[in-house]
Amino acid sequence: MASISDSETTKHGSIWDLDQNLDQPMDEEASRLKNMYTEKKFSSILLLRLAFQSLGVVFGDLGTSPLYVFYNIFPHGVDDDEDVIGALSLIIYTLTLIPLMKYVFVVLRANDNGQGGTFALYSLLCRHAKVSTIPNQHKTDEELTTYSRQTYEENSLAAKVKRWLEGHAYKKNCLLILVLIGTCTAIGDGILTPAISVLSASGGIRVQNQKMSTDVVVVVAVIILIGLFSMQHYGTDKVGWLFAPIVLLWFILIGTIGALNIHKYNSSVLKAYNPVYIYRYFRRGKSESWTSLGGIMLSITGTEALYADLCHFPVLAIQIAFTLVVFPCLLLAYTGQAAYIISNKDHVVDAFYRSIPDTIYWPVFIIATLAAIVASQATISATYSIIKQALALGCFPRVSVVHTSKKFLGQIYIPDINWVLMILCIAVTAGFKNQSQIGNAYGTAVVIVMLVTTFLMVPIMLLVWKSHWILVVIFIVLSLMVELPYFTACINKVDQGGWVPLVVAITFFIIMYVWHFCTVKRYEFEMHSKVSMAWILGLGPSLGLVRVPGIGFVYTELASGVPHIFSHFITNLPAIHSIVIFVCVKYLPVYTVPVEERFIVKRIGPKNFHMFRCVARYGYKDIHKRDDDFEKMLLDRLLLFVRLESMMDDYSDSEDFTMMEEKTQGSSNALLLTGKAGSNTMCCTGDLSYSSQDSIVPAKSPLRGNSLTRYSSQTFGNELEFLNRCKDAGVVHILGNTVVHARPDSGIIKKIAVNYVFAFLRKICRENSVIFNVPHESLLNVGQIYYI
């Protein structure tokens, strides 16, 4: 291995070493920015208050399931009391195993600093193993306070799993595809939850007036849905204070009504808590019982949304709310409905509303409608969050993201997605017109997301938690024992409405995968075609051009090196700005990057080149708000960097170059650098010496003591004044516009994906200039075409 390293060093030569020395990673700058935070601790009273508030945000979808579950289990009526007991027993133990045991006490612990969902799991994996398909991460990113990861012993099981995942590119792609499948089906939940919840709640109108047409119920549901989606731009924060009392009142009502029905109609349903009735249920009617699993699956809808909506509440608060309020009230509600159905077998279609005492019917109907709206709101908000995470990780076209709350980071609104969801939701509601087919579609979407979460939890438990392999096996076996039967039952109902989430998921999957594929290829093109720093330095301080007053921001996806678009720019234009700043905006697999750690500034080359690099780092929850002045933040960070640089005692290579060059300027001992990209030799004279490894090492400066202090202060003052003059002269933003096309010899599928699908998505998505609030009068686009 040593001989290989020596040969590689000889092959690269001096220019490669110079490139490495003058454009190094920002390890020192990142470590200076690091700012440790203390973990929040919650008092008992605060935990109870947060548990109360979580009812309105997290549990709305799960709490409205009693509106439609029994109708979807028995769409053709009930023949035998034992069928109701068996179905109730299945509901009880499904609620116990999946929401309670799996999610509340296991999966919720796999959160990324409070963020849940499939992309949160993926971001955890990307931090603990190099599985990201866009290799734009660097060691300096690990210095972030929000970037937490584990270390492993060489021969441990976690280390072996890590090496296995990192071994081949196809494994990374398979992991990404799995995440995208879960994400796309979760988006389908955002369409189906409002449809089935609002339609089921609106169905209560017909209970008191049996002559009313179904079309009237559908129209009422559509009106509510239009109003719901039209109010999204106000944000959940505006009406959030209403959610928790409504949902708490809803759980109290369904629990109380359930207990009354048990006492009033048939207390023998309590024997359903004996799991033996599950075995009898399947033995008595095999095919019908298996088909009914699709309806029973609806009793745990909202469980995945419970995890995706995990944003602003500690896990313990959600565990308290579920175990003390949600779980017992749901058990009472389902048990009471079963007791009512046994005594009134012909009322299974609208058993929930018919089991309500007449004296409180209309108040309960109003609360049920409000609870359905709350449940829909939670799922819609989760969809926005999923889209934002996908966008940040390069898996979704750039869309407008609006921050709706000054208090909560995760409360956002995406106008384009909102109207797409509304149209699809209305189409599903008006197209199916009944809960049964929508329920079949809903169950298919929910079970697919749960399976994806189960599979993603395996590497999480091994890499992040370092769990023993026996515990991992127990978890996956118990989860699949419950979820696989539900999956097969739901797939059998594809022709009865189950095709809807599959079509939605496939459509969004194509969009996400094509966008991500072309994004990766474009990044690889930027990496392979970046310009050597030695070539830039060989042009001299003027870069071979006229340096006009002003500041030029050159946007690039590269966090190191000079992008090819810059060489294209200076080759075709005769002038460049006095100060050039390469700006890289990248998203990291963390939920947020603190503002004080967001920007890293580094000087490129000698000082008289006036070239800098600024890396702006964001998490998948961070967004550019309309009131953010991106240009001002960049300039402020640059000025701060110059101030800090002048105060440092240890100087970088580029600083020593500048000091010595200014000291010896006009003398025969001036620093001379000559070289071209691809050359293996260069000539250096002056205060530089070669090390044995053929790298450039600055000689000690002759300046000492007070002379050095005065010299540094004078240099700092001159450069600061120069920066302000350039700022006043004007700022230009130079954006690269890389157009991607498929090669002429590519296959038909690739041509369609790249030349038509990706091209259409680029045309309708937002431009970077809009995202960064760049004014059009100071924008310059430089285009180039890349064939893949």
Side-chain angles (χ1 to χ4, degrees), residues 566-679:
F566 183 69
S567 66
H568 183 66
F569 177 81
I570 64 176
T571 303
N572 291 276
L573 292 177
I576 191 65
H577 298 87
S578 299
I579 296 177
V580 177
I581 304 172
F582 296 100
V583 180
C584 171
V585 179
K586 68 176 183 178
Y587 284 87
L588 303 177
V590 295
Y591 76 103
T592 186
V593 176
V595 177
E596 57 269 27
E597 300 179 51
R598 179 158 296 162
F599 295 93
I600 300 180
V601 180
K602 178 79 172 181
R603 185 185 296 276
I604 300 177
K607 280 190 175 181
N608 61 338
F609 276 62
H610 300 297
M611 296 173 63
F612 301 88
R613 177 182 315 287
C614 179
V615 178
R617 303 175 295 180
Y618 292 85
Y620 55 78
K621 277 288 184 182
D622 296 326
I623 64 172
H624 298 279
K625 294 178 286 187
R626 286 183 177 179
D627 55 349
D628 283 347
D629 191 337
F630 192 68
E631 176 185 308
K632 182 178 182 300
M633 289 191 293
L634 289 178
L635 292 174
D636 288 344
R637 292 294 172 176
L638 178 61
L639 294 173
L640 178 61
F641 168 78
V642 173
R643 290 191 182 95
L644 292 176
E645 187 186 45
S646 68
M647 298 168 60
M648 292 175 59
D649 295 326
D650 298 328
Y651 291 90
S652 65
D653 291 349
S654 60
E655 289 169 334
D656 285 290
F657 291 152
T658 307
M659 289 172 62
M660 290 179 289
E661 183 178 9
E662 292 179 355
K663 171 180 176 292
T664 59
Q665 188 174 10
S667 68
S668 60
N669 201 29
L671 172 64
L672 175 64
L673 292 176
T674 60
K676 295 183 180 180
S679 173

Side-chain angles (χ1 to χ4, degrees), residues 400-649:
S400 174
V401 179
V402 180
H403 203 265
T404 60
S405 173
K406 295 181 180 179
K407 300 177 182 178
F408 303 113
L409 183 65
Q411 292 189 3
I412 57 176
Y413 166 64
I414 304 178
D416 300 331
I417 300 300
N418 181 71
W419 303 124
V420 171
L421 289 179
M422 186 188 76
I423 293 171
L424 294 176
C425 190
I426 292 174
V428 169
T429 304
F432 288 134
K433 295 184 179 181
N434 67 83
Q435 304 171 25
S436 180
Q437 288 186 314
I438 299 178
N440 295 337
Y442 197 13
T444 305
V446 170
V447 72
I448 291 175
V449 180
M450 288 184 175
L451 284 171
V452 169
T453 301
T454 299
F455 292 129
L456 288 177
M457 281 297 297
V458 174
I460 290 292
M461 294 178 74
L462 292 172
L463 294 180
V464 182
W465 295 351
K466 298 182 181 179
S467 302
H468 196 280
W469 66 270
I470 294 178
L471 295 177
V472 178
V473 170
I474 292 173
F475 172 81
I476 194 169
V477 168
L478 290 178
S479 298
L480 294 181
M481 281 179 57
V482 179
E483 292 167 1
L484 284 180
Y486 283 121
F487 176 73
T488 57
C490 291
I491 290 298
N492 288 331
K493 294 185 176 182
V494 168
D495 59 335
Q496 303 173 32
W499 57 270
V500 172
L502 298 180
V503 170
V504 172
I506 290 172
T507 303
F508 276 94
F509 179 84
I510 292 173
I511 292 173
M512 289 184 173
Y513 192 79
V514 168
W515 183 268
H516 183 77
F517 172 79
C518 294
T519 301
V520 171
K521 291 299 180 183
R522 188 173 60 189
Y523 182 82
E524 291 175 352
F525 168 73
E526 295 282 352
M527 281 290 296
H528 293 311
S529 61
K530 63 182 181 180
V531 181
S532 170
M533 269 302 303
W535 180 75
I536 295 292
L537 295 177
L539 298 175
S542 66
L543 300 178
L545 305 170
V546 177
R547 300 296 291 266
V548 297
I551 299 177
F553 288 109
V554 181
Y555 290 83
T556 173
E557 295 182 5
L558 300 179
S560 63
V562 178
H564 181 266
I565 200 74
F566 183 69
S567 66
H568 183 66
F569 177 81
I570 64 176
T571 303
N572 291 276
L573 292 177
I576 191 65
H577 298 87
S578 299
I579 296 177
V580 177
I581 304 172
F582 296 100
V583 180
C584 171
V585 179
K586 68 176 183 178
Y587 284 87
L588 303 177
V590 295
Y591 76 103
T592 186
V593 176
V595 177
E596 57 269 27
E597 300 179 51
R598 179 158 296 162
F599 295 93
I600 300 180
V601 180
K602 178 79 172 181
R603 185 185 296 276
I604 300 177
K607 280 190 175 181
N608 61 338
F609 276 62
H610 300 297
M611 296 173 63
F612 301 88
R613 177 182 315 287
C614 179
V615 178
R617 303 175 295 180
Y618 292 85
Y620 55 78
K621 277 288 184 182
D622 296 326
I623 64 172
H624 298 279
K625 294 178 286 187
R626 286 183 177 179
D627 55 349
D628 283 347
D629 191 337
F630 192 68
E631 176 185 308
K632 182 178 182 300
M633 289 191 293
L634 289 178
L635 292 174
D636 288 344
R637 292 294 172 176
L638 178 61
L639 294 173
L640 178 61
F641 168 78
V642 173
R643 290 191 182 95
L644 292 176
E645 187 186 45
S646 68
M647 298 168 60
M648 292 175 59
D649 295 326

Side-chain angles (χ1 to χ4, degrees), residues 296-309:
I296 295 171
M297 180 71 199
L298 297 180
S299 64
I300 55 174
T301 57
T303 304
E304 191 63 36
L306 175 153
Y307 179 47
D309 278 328

Side-chain angles (χ1 to χ4, degrees), residues 214-282:
T214 305
D215 294 336
V216 176
V217 177
V218 173
V219 170
V220 172
V222 168
I223 292 173
I224 294 175
L225 289 173
I226 293 174
L228 174 64
F229 283 100
S230 299
M231 297 291 289
Q232 289 300 310
H233 67 279
Y234 290 110
T236 55
D237 187 43
K238 301 295 188 299
V239 292
W241 61 276
L242 283 174
F243 288 1
I246 290 172
V247 177
L248 177 61
L249 182 58
W250 168 253
F251 278 117
I252 293 173
L253 282 174
I254 63 175
T256 303
I257 293 171
L260 290 174
N261 288 335
I262 294 171
H263 174 73
K264 180 178 179 180
Y265 293 104
N266 195 337
S267 60
S268 64
V269 293
L270 295 175
K271 61 185 179 182
Y273 287 82
N274 185 348
V276 73
Y277 286 93
I278 298 177
Y279 168 74
R280 294 181 182 179
Y281 179 67
F282 286 111

